Amino acid sequence: LLIMSHAAYAAENPRQLAECMKQMSSLQSYLEFVYMHRGFYPESLDELNMLFNSDVRRDSDRIIIPEDPATGKKFIYSPSKDLKTYSISAPDPSCYGMDSIELRNVRWGWMNTIAEQTNAQIKSELCGQYLTGLMKAVKKYQEEKKKLPSEIKELVPGYLKGIPKCPLCGKPYYLKLTSEDLVIYCPSPMSHGCSSFCYSLKKGVVVRPASEKKD
């Protein structure tokens, strides 16, 4: 959705205005590509650049994040707090004889469901990575102190900078120590569609569907 407010009857340089709109459209394409692959937009244009170019081989063409042709500056990118919508605007629309030039996100309608499912899958995978990282910290703690922690906060700050939170529910992980095992739990397995999502020192990662009851 492109919104333009005229300061004059016609743009001072129609070719340059057309190029501005072309570059904004290209930027929008990159943003929408990210959204459909992970379910939310990047926090900044710097993050967008990192997503596309951080792991690019030296012999591969980098993706150039479009800039405003009149000023050579970055377009003003304003994502919403939940990263579900955004607007892009020209840094100095007066260069084109306009009060404002703004482009907004595509309205995907029912296809938002696909993006949301992708987002949930990515966050579930990240949750599993956090559980694995926490267990590595536990094992290092055990190796150095010759005992197991009784609470997850004992791992901070020597083995963790802080207690991570589940990417889906935003709550911190916790552990339970018994005479037989140590288990680190996702605080809200139901947000992953599971009755249990945890990492056992003896059994490894344990994932049970919501249809199965917890132990």
Side-chain angles (χ1 to χ4, degrees):
L1 177 62
L2 181 65
I3 301 173
M4 293 192 296
S5 175
H6 291 259
Y9 179 76
E12 295 178 2
N13 189 334
R15 289 185 179 181
Q16 198 171 42
L17 175 61
E19 181 62 23
C20 175
M21 295 170 64
K22 177 182 176 182
Q23 295 301 324
M24 290 178 75
S25 180
S26 295
L27 179 56
Q28 182 188 49
S29 297
Y30 294 148
L31 291 166
E32 299 302 333
F33 178 88
V34 170
Y35 180 75
M36 290 308 295
H37 279 76
R38 69 176 192 177
F40 56 97
Y41 295 106
E43 293 184 359
S44 66
L45 295 183
D46 288 337
E47 183 189 5
L48 180 66
N49 181 60
M50 181 191 70
L51 290 171
F52 283 132
N53 296 308
S54 61
D55 296 324
V56 175
R57 292 170 46 180
R58 292 185 178 180
D59 58 347
S60 299
D61 292 336
R62 293 173 62 86
I63 293 178
I64 306 301
I65 306 303
E67 296 181 342
D68 177 52
T71 63
K73 297 179 180 179
K74 293 180 180 180
F75 287 107
I76 299 171
Y77 171 62
S78 304
S80 60
K81 188 174 181 179
D82 62 1
L83 301 180
K84 295 294 186 180
T85 62
Y86 68 82
S87 66
I88 309 166
S89 56
D92 186 1
S94 64
C95 293
Y96 306 101
M98 301 285 178
D99 289 325
S100 64
I101 305 174
E102 183 178 286
L103 188 64
R104 296 180 183 174
N105 56 282
V106 173
R107 295 172 180 172
W108 287 101
W110 66 266
M111 291 186 69
N112 277 317
T113 303
I114 298 174
E116 290 170 359
Q117 290 173 346
T118 302
N119 183 17
Q121 180 180 352
I122 290 173
K123 289 184 176 180
S124 289
E125 292 173 356
L126 184 57
C127 183
Q129 293 173 18
Y130 282 169
L131 287 170
T132 300
L134 285 165
M135 188 56 76
K136 286 181 179 179
V138 165
K139 291 178 179 179
K140 189 173 181 181
Y141 179 101
Q142 181 186 31
E143 180 183 347
E144 293 184 359
K145 296 185 178 293
K146 310 304 178 185
K147 65 176 183 177
L148 290 168
S150 58
E151 295 181 277
I152 202 167
K153 65 182 181 181
E154 293 177 37
L155 300 172
V156 181
Y159 304 88
L160 296 171
K161 291 182 179 179
I163 301 173
K165 298 179 180 179
C166 170
L168 270 176
C169 71
K171 298 177 182 179
Y173 297 90
Y174 65 95
L175 68 79
K176 287 184 179 180
L177 176 64
T178 67
S179 59
E180 298 180 350
D181 200 2
L182 180 147
V183 183
I184 302 172
Y185 291 91
C186 170
S188 181
M190 289 303 295
S191 64
H192 301 274
C194 305
S195 64
S196 181
F197 192 12
C198 58
Y199 199 131
S200 163
L201 186 59
K202 288 188 175 182
K203 300 177 183 178
V205 176
V206 178
V207 180
R208 292 190 179 89
S211 57
E212 295 184 19
K213 295 181 179 180
K214 295 182 181 179
D215 294 336

